[in-house]
Amino acid sequence: MKDIVSSGKSFFKEFREFAVKGNVMDMAIGVVIGTAFGKIVSSLVADVIMPLVGLFVGNIDLKDLAVTLQDKTDTSPAIVLTYGVFLQNVLDFLIIAFAIFLTIKVLINLKNRIIKEEEAPAEAPADPADVQLLREIRDLLKDQNK
């Protein structure tokens, strides 16, 4: 019994260490931000883009596009295939995927720039004035000997 209790304590200790690690916290923050970002993009699609698309295709709201497979009866509801909602969700996905692609592309470019700056060799320090003067004298003497 003592072994079970001690292994239980180490299990929870391991779990706590795992849950507090940066990767898990980063992932949790990413999920929360991703959810909020998804709502913003969904609103952009539903409230801005889709009305414009509807205007160009003759005042048709894509959400209203549907095919009635079976009419409503007294005993059963209507069976409706709402493909317009599906099309709007596909458009949401494409816009979100494109925005994430652009964000990741920008982050990778920034990371590569930072790495290049860190790897760039430092410029050699300027020579002291007396060394520069001696080099000038040497060069002048070479020119006179020619």
Side-chain angles (χ1 to χ4, degrees), residues 1 12 15 41 44-45 68-69 74 91 96 111 120 139 143:
M1 182 72 173
F12 288 114
F15 177 74
V41 172
L44 173 70
V45 170
T68 303
L69 300 175
D74 292 337
L91 190 59
I96 290 170
K111 181 180 174 184
D139 293 341
D143 290 340

Side-chain angles (χ1 to χ4, degrees), residues 87-103:
L87 291 175
Q88 183 162 346
N89 287 333
V90 168
L91 190 59
D92 280 354
F93 170 77
L94 292 174
I95 292 172
I96 290 170
F98 184 69
I100 290 172
F101 168 76
L102 290 178
T103 303

Side-chain angles (χ1 to χ4, degrees), residues 16-87:
R16 185 183 72 225
E17 290 172 2
F18 168 77
V20 177
K21 282 185 180 179
N23 293 344
V24 174
M25 298 303 286
D26 291 345
M27 184 176 68
I29 292 168
V31 167
V32 170
I33 291 174
T35 302
F37 185 70
K39 288 181 181 179
I40 291 170
V41 172
S42 293
S43 176
L44 173 70
V45 170
D47 301 329
V48 177
I49 295 174
M50 295 316 284
L52 293 173
V53 169
L55 181 67
F56 287 117
V57 295
N59 285 335
I60 297 173
D61 188 3
L62 280 183
K63 290 187 289 187
D64 296 335
L65 295 177
V67 173
T68 303
L69 300 175
Q70 181 179 347
D71 290 329
K72 178 181 176 183
T73 63
D74 292 337
T75 58
S76 65
I79 299 174
V80 180
L81 182 67
T82 54
Y83 66 92
V85 174
F86 174 74
L87 291 175

